[in-house]
Amino acid sequence: MKRRDLVTRLSQSAIGATGVAIVGGCQKAQNQEASGFNTDKLPTVKWQMATSWPLSLEIIFGGAQVLADRVKALTNGKFIIEPRPAGDIAPGLEVLNVVSQGAVQSGHTGSYYYIGKTPALAFGTSVPFGLNAQQQNAWLYEGGGLAKLQELYARKFNVIQFPAGNTGTQMGGWFRREIKTINDLKGLKMRIPGLGGQVMAKLGVTVQNVPGGEIFQALQTGAIDAAEWVGPYDDEKLGLNKVAKYYYYPGWWEPGPTLEVQINLDEWKKLPPQYQAALETAAYQSNLTMLARYDAKNNQALERLLKGGTEVRAYSQEILAVAEKESFALYDEFAAKDADFKAIYDEWKPFRDRVYAWNNLNEGSFSRYVYSKLKS
């Protein structure tokens, strides 16, 4: 090789290396600018996150993953959260317990799995004939709901939590046989959690709280006669259409269920304020992303289910009316004996009534018109 060619190539390599260094430096600066702070002097933090979800349900488990990915990006890779599927760290219905005890720093779950501790926790996810996803966000973020729940979590469980996912209005469950009247529910064994389960119990249903990953087997073996999970996309993945024929709507017990990230309060207080801000921001993103993904995929999954032989049925007006009556009777019972429930319910109920009236006027009128033109 000629000397001049060698010098030229070495010079080009040097320029290239310098360019890479400059680009890398600029990229780092851009990342820091995007995240709003410089992480050079901040600690590296690694957390585990217990979840209530199997890996196979990638949207709902993805709520935890979206949060973790965003936290990592916002902190330039210095705050790492590793979401783990149900059963890896704790059973799917024990997430709050292990986070509260400090056995794991964080968790992703639904608050209504833990109403045995206090029924007030149901408001963090959803209550029968409550708020849809948009209304739920309005109540949590702007109606004082999140502040109320955070005070409760801190006082009772040494936990702080943030909304981090929403499935949208759910379907009303899978049944082996048709359910036409209230009497058809009596003696039925059904997987349904939260206050919805307690209302169903009042209607004569034998209620069981089975983790998502175990529903198929429970239906297949006859341990239960019916089950609800989320909606067409997840239900298809779980194979529920293969063991039950009738698919009911609406999921009146979960009109807009929020999922949440739960954080041990002692661990939260150890975080630099910048990391706390990153985590809270990531939770917002997770909350929005999950809802968008479910709305985008559920309609396509429903079409596949219908082509595969699933029969969609509406709950009768009789069942809906009785279920609503029993729901609010249950709320009155809780408010009379549980101060935490009453403190939230007394503010939640007027908010619900106001937002219902407003949405009936604006969105309701529009929806009734456009949906009336759809083929049944």
Side-chain angles (χ1 to χ4, degrees):
M1 181 182 293
K2 292 182 180 179
R3 182 175 182 276
R4 179 176 295 176
D5 292 339
L6 178 60
V7 170
T8 299
R9 293 193 180 192
L10 289 172
S11 298
Q12 289 172 340
S13 297
I15 292 171
T18 302
V20 170
I22 292 172
V23 170
C26 289
Q27 185 64 53
K28 183 177 180 181
Q30 290 171 355
N31 288 341
Q32 291 173 347
E33 182 178 354
S35 65
F37 57 86
N38 189 323
T39 59
D40 286 347
K41 295 182 179 180
L42 292 174
T44 297
V45 176
K46 294 184 179 180
W47 278 9
Q48 296 289 308
M49 175 180 283
T51 78
S52 295
W53 330 118
L55 281 172
S56 59
L57 300 179
E58 81 280 2
I59 297 182
I60 199 164
F61 182 84
Q65 193 61 60
V66 165
L67 184 147
D69 290 345
R70 191 58 176 158
V71 166
K72 181 178 179 180
L74 287 171
T75 60
N76 300 321
K78 299 197 73 173
F79 185 7
I80 305 295
I81 300 174
E82 183 184 0
R84 304 280 290 278
D88 268 19
I89 296 176
L93 304 182
E94 296 292 329
V95 173
L96 175 58
N97 295 334
V98 294
V99 174
S100 178
Q101 295 161 7
V104 65
Q105 297 94 340
S106 63
H108 193 271
T109 187
S111 65
Y112 69 168
Y113 291 146
Y114 313 102
I115 58 171
K117 300 177 184 298
T118 170
L121 288 178
F123 289 107
T125 302
S126 189
V127 299
F129 300 97
L131 306 174
N132 66 24
Q134 181 172 310
Q135 295 165 346
Q136 177 81 347
N137 283 337
W139 176 67
L140 288 169
Y141 294 131
E142 296 294 330
L146 183 57
K148 281 281 189 183
L149 288 166
Q150 287 182 339
E151 186 279 329
L152 173 65
Y153 269 94
R155 173 167 46 83
K156 279 188 161 306
F157 309 111
N158 194 42
V159 163
I160 184 171
Q161 102 297 347
F162 299 97
N166 196 303
T167 68
T169 304
Q170 296 191 358
M171 288 291 283
W174 296 85
F175 294 78
R176 291 180 174 275
R177 56 183 171 84
E178 287 189 88
I179 304 298
K180 296 181 179 180
T181 70
I182 288 290
N183 288 334
D184 293 331
L185 291 170
K186 296 186 187 308
L188 199 76
K189 295 176 292 183
M190 183 177 183
R191 182 270 178 197
I192 175 172
L195 297 189
Q198 296 196 25
V199 174
M200 276 294 197
K202 286 179 173 286
L203 303 184
V205 173
T206 300
V207 173
Q208 299 187 32
N209 196 4
V210 179
E214 301 174 18
I215 297 175
F216 176 87
Q217 183 178 6
L219 267 174
Q220 186 181 46
T221 60
I224 55 177
D225 306 307
E228 65 82 44
W229 178 242
V230 172
Y233 186 74
D234 274 3
D235 294 358
E236 181 187 36
K237 277 186 167 289
L238 290 177
L240 304 186
N241 57 305
K242 298 177 182 178
V243 287
K245 180 179 180 179
Y246 299 102
Y247 199 20
Y248 275 79
Y249 71 91
W252 45 265
W253 50 85
E254 294 184 59
T258 297
L259 306 174
E260 60 189 29
V261 56
Q262 299 175 346
I263 306 157
N264 180 274
L265 196 54
D266 295 330
E267 297 295 333
W268 171 258
K269 291 175 180 177
K270 293 177 187 177
L271 292 176
Q274 298 94 327
Y275 288 7
Q276 292 179 346
L279 207 160
E280 189 171 358
T281 299
Y284 273 107
Q285 181 170 338
S286 178
N287 198 26
L288 176 62
T289 300
M290 186 185 294
L291 180 61
R293 287 178 176 173
Y294 273 120
D295 273 346
K297 292 182 179 294
N298 272 330
N299 58 343
Q300 297 171 357
L302 181 60
E303 290 178 3
R304 293 193 297 270
L305 291 171
L306 292 173
K307 290 178 181 178
T310 294
E311 296 190 22
V312 174
R313 297 283 189 272
Y315 281 115
S316 69
Q317 291 299 304
E318 176 205 15
I319 290 176
L320 291 175
V322 174
E324 183 177 22
K325 179 181 177 181
E326 292 293 348
S327 295
F328 283 90
L330 185 66
Y331 304 156
D332 289 340
E333 290 178 24
F334 286 142
K337 62 185 180 182
D338 188 294
D340 291 324
F341 186 94
K342 178 176 171 55
I344 295 177
Y345 182 69
D346 284 352
E347 294 187 10
W348 176 89
K349 180 60 165 58
F351 182 92
R352 171 192 180 272
D353 294 344
R354 291 193 302 270
V355 79
Y356 268 24
W358 163 237
N359 285 166
N360 181 56
L361 176 67
N362 67 335
E363 293 188 8
S365 59
F366 176 75
S367 296
R368 285 189 290 273
Y369 173 75
V370 295
Y371 294 157
S372 69
K373 299 186 176 300
L374 295 177
K375 294 181 180 179
S376 59

